[in-house]
Amino acid sequence: MRSTRPSSRLASLTVPSMAQTVASTAAKASYTNTMPSTMQVSPLAGSIKKDAKLANNWKIKPLPELTDADVLAMPDSEYMNDVQMAFFRLKLVNLKNDMHTNAGETTEHLREDTVVVPDPADRATIEEEHALELRTRDRERKLLKKIEQSIGRIDAGDYGYCDETGEPIGVGRLLARPTATLSLEAQQRRELKQKMFGD
């Protein structure tokens, strides 16, 4: 007959509680975030290559003719100089104007499509297209606020620097997302906290 008492070895084994697991994960996350930045290579930074031939184009080209590659090739010592600030301001203003144009086109589409269609399937298709277009405009409306804030940050001279750490966000990240207010590392930390603890 077997004994119902657990062996001493089994008794010494414990299953970590949920709090211990979360704490352990948080500790690992904080340890990896305190590692030197030379060891961490962000996927965004790794995929973008600077073209040395374009390094001085910003000095000779007029602002409207500058491309993303020209700005990306600028030396790090010129980060957020007047040319970069003006380039990103122009990019944001163009994005804002495009959104206003899209909003006007949506209004026109909704006005044109007010004709009553007798076929229920056709009517449902039109309504679904309208709903999709309105959802897209709603997302753009939210983005418009961020664009306005970014333009304000450029005017104040704060653009391009992380809100949490004050470190440079990086030209590559700003080209991909001109409204970014956090560096990639700070954004990853925030997302990890939200995943672990919720909003």
Side-chain angles (χ1 to χ4, degrees):
M1 185 172 198
R2 281 190 181 173
S3 160
T4 55
R5 243 179 76 223
S7 69
S8 59
R9 188 168 156 255
L10 186 60
S12 66
L13 293 176
T14 57
V15 177
S17 68
M18 185 64 178
Q20 289 171 325
T21 306
V22 170
S24 172
T25 308
K28 286 177 191 169
S30 65
Y31 171 75
T32 55
N33 287 328
T34 56
M35 286 171 31
S37 59
T38 52
M39 293 180 73
Q40 285 184 336
V41 179
S42 67
L44 189 65
S47 63
I48 296 174
K49 303 264 186 211
K50 286 189 177 187
D51 190 349
K53 296 174 196 164
L54 305 176
N56 291 320
N57 277 2
W58 66 279
K59 293 178 183 175
I60 21 178
K61 276 190 179 179
L63 183 65
E65 292 179 20
L66 279 178
T67 64
D68 290 1
D70 293 330
V71 174
L72 190 62
M74 290 172 70
D76 293 339
S77 59
E78 298 294 337
Y79 184 72
M80 286 302 125
N81 65 3
D82 293 341
V83 174
Q84 280 189 2
M85 287 283 203
F87 174 82
F88 282 110
R89 191 176 208 291
L90 183 64
K91 198 175 189 69
L92 287 161
V93 167
N94 288 341
L95 198 58
K96 179 177 150 186
N97 292 339
D98 288 346
M99 286 184 186
H100 284 304
T101 305
N102 291 343
E105 287 174 5
T106 298
T107 308
E108 287 302 314
H109 291 163
L110 294 176
R111 236 184 244 136
E112 289 169 5
D113 293 341
T114 54
V115 181
V116 177
V117 181
D119 183 27
D122 289 344
R123 192 168 47 235
T125 303
I126 290 169
E127 286 175 8
E128 184 60 34
E129 287 171 359
H130 287 175
L132 181 63
E133 199 167 354
L134 288 171
R135 273 198 303 270
T136 304
R137 295 296 90 79
D138 188 49
R139 275 199 304 270
E140 287 182 353
R141 181 184 55 81
K142 291 172 184 169
L143 183 59
L144 206 53
K145 288 180 186 175
K146 291 183 178 181
I147 289 172
E148 292 287 355
Q149 290 170 352
S150 295
I151 291 172
R153 288 167 60 100
I154 287 173
D155 294 340
D158 298 332
Y159 184 77
Y161 294 92
C162 180
D163 278 353
E164 284 185 5
T165 62
E167 295 171 355
I169 293 173
V171 175
R173 178 160 163 74
L174 289 170
L175 287 172
R177 188 179 179 88
T179 57
T181 56
L182 297 172
S183 66
L184 192 61
E185 290 78 14
Q187 183 69 36
Q188 287 170 340
R189 277 196 302 272
R190 179 174 284 188
E191 286 171 7
L192 182 69
K193 278 182 191 171
Q194 285 174 347
K195 190 186 286 186
M196 283 168 45
F197 305 114
D199 298 331

